[in-house]
Amino acid sequence: MLVYDKPIDQAEPAASPAPQRMLAGISVLELVRLLWRHKVAIASAGLICAVAAVMIGKSLTPKYSATAQLYVDPRELQLVERELTPRAQDVNGLAMLVESQARLITSNGVLLQVIKDTRLDKDPEFGGGDAKGVLASLLGLFGIDRSAADAKLGQMTALEALNRHINVKKTDRTFIVDIDVWSYDPAKAAMLANAISNAYLAESKKSQATAARRATSDLSGRLKELQERLRTAENALATYKAQNNFVGTQDTLISDQQLSASNQRLAAARALTLDAQAKYDQIEASRRASADAGAIPEALQSPTIANLRSQYAEVRKRYAELTSELGPRHPSLRQMEKQVEDLRRNINEEVDRFVQSAKNDLTRAREYEASLNKALEAQKRQSVQLSQASVRLRELERDVEASRDVYQSFLKRSRETEEQESLNTSSARIIGEATVPQRRTFPPAMSMIAMIGFMMGALAASAWTVAADRLSPDTTEPQPARAELKTPTPPSKPAASNQPRQRAPAPVASVEKPLIARLQESDVVRTLGGILSLGGVPDAARMGWPTLRAGSPQTAFLDAIRTIRGIAARRSPADAIPVLAVIGAGAGEDRSIAALNIALATARDGASVLMIDADHTTHAISNKVNGLGKSEPSRLGWLSIGTRTSRAIKTANGISILPIVRGTDAKAADAIRKAIAQARSAGGYDLVILDGPAMPFSAAGRKLFDIADGLVAVLPVSHDINDAMEDIITALGGAERKLTGVILSEIHPAAVSRQRDKQYA
């Protein structure tokens, strides 16, 4: 653990004051003094340029501009149900249509019509004149007629000149189009603006009529072909129907009707057959049962059998009476017995006739059913054949229907486009006619010209004065060296005249403990990651990390950083840029964020900072800035380090960032040492900040501590601060004597947990 009640002996050179802010090698105060000494010459140059500008403005021909306003509404009038072109529905489509109409205003068709209406080809301002007429007259004397060619050439010249005089612009988020026309004559400018707007409306109407006429012609040309195709399809359909006997009503064919009727007749015949069979079976069953044959329904309904049965009953009654009165051999009884037998035989014969009739009915019903069944089978076979032929029939019908639909649609559309030819559906109109301008647009007012001339002359004279002063060898004043700004050291023994003067050793001072600074959430602001470009120059405060608030008042963190820089500056050798190494125990980006905020705090005091990525493991700074921005100018060639990817990147905050060198740890450390040595020899920086190296320190990383004038330890409050500080001191070995400050990073409030109730180190 770091014990603060035991001093750490450190070599502390004398302190030096903060470097003076310079601007391109000369201070701002010196620049102001230099310009003030030459104020008379600068003012004289400005007045001369102002007079020259006024004279030039007086010699220029004035130009006048007139503006006509058109309202170009892409939602045209809905005069017919279907239009030639679809309407634009979304906002982007409407805007594109209005822009297209604005470009149509400057088309050759519109401008040539304007030239013809206003006879601009004869106007000298637009390339016309009497010279061409004289030349044509001279050529006419020799029989050469070039009037047509000259007229065409004059129109093209006037067209090119008129294009330069026109400026068509569309007002944002509106359908308003402004037509600006300038001319040396104000009345001519207004006349041309109105002529262009009228020509555009006429051309728009003409183009609609031409499009409708062309569509009508194309549709009419196709009607005859479509009509012939429909007629051919209908003839083929009729021929096929006749060949395959497709005859019938509109709903069904005759074959289908016959098949249905035959089915019904066959069902009725089968019912009759079953009835005859039942009747015959009943009669036969009665006869086989030896029952009374006259008991069947047909016999009971027959008047003949009823009469015979009545006679039979009467004779039986008479026979019974005679039997009781006469003997068995009596002739009357024998005669009566014979009558009974005759009547019984007659009844049986009559019943037999009924049986034969039922049998005949059954035979006839069966034969009728068989004939109907045979006819039905034939009709079925014919229906199957017609079904197979109907496939081709339906194909022909579809062809006829399609041809009919196409023909009808073309016929209807042809009639519609023919009517649209005489309609004007455009809703464009003139909402503001051009008036004769009263003020010129060029050149501007003489006061403005004089002011611009004076400013340009004064700036040119000031630049010439500064350049002459800087290039003159007599005007260069020697700058005090850093050694002169430091506290003088006690004189040493006088050395021999032939030996170089050596610097006396700095007095040894003791520091009770490193300075502790807190980087709090209130000190920083969070930005979106990847927003590095600011006017073409990268911005170190927009890397996506928490950085110091811009324009914030002086805070304890800024004061602590100034004190730490002062300690590092006192420890640095004479005439050398102090080097500050930022180390930390955390595995995240806390150390790199703290190093970036130290650089921003230093740059806020007007100092120039070189920040070097010395973390060979994670190289978080390099990942942020590699491939962005531009490298240092050629005067800082020391930043090359052998490869293009290792050049320092200049930011808009006064900070130059040198990314890590890809390769081994030793190679990166050697490149960093060379960069620091070259930076110290070339000058131009007030502080060098090393981001790293990362723990555990390698042998190459420990060598960087030898050239560092001070070490700053970053301790995230999410870690155990005492343990982390003890780990850092243990890893530093003998280099802990260079510790100049400790930063407690509290910029992640969500990560502050169990250390709230502990005392900081």
Side-chain angles (χ1 to χ4, degrees), residues 389-432:
S390 63
V391 175
R392 174 61 179 167
L393 177 66
R394 286 191 294 271
E395 182 180 352
L396 293 175
E397 289 176 346
R398 287 193 297 269
D399 190 12
V400 170
E401 190 66 25
S403 299
R404 183 180 294 109
D405 291 342
V406 173
Y407 175 72
Q408 289 177 353
S409 62
F410 266 69
L411 182 61
K412 182 179 179 181
R413 190 58 174 157
S414 175
R415 298 296 181 265
E416 290 178 351
T417 54
E418 186 176 358
E419 295 300 328
Q420 290 185 33
E421 183 177 348
S422 58
L423 298 177
N424 183 17
T425 60
S426 176
S427 57
R429 62 183 183 273
I430 300 174
I431 60 174

Side-chain angles (χ1 to χ4, degrees), residues 189-200:
M191 181 269 295
L192 289 177
N194 293 327
I196 291 173
S197 58
N198 292 326
Y200 162 72

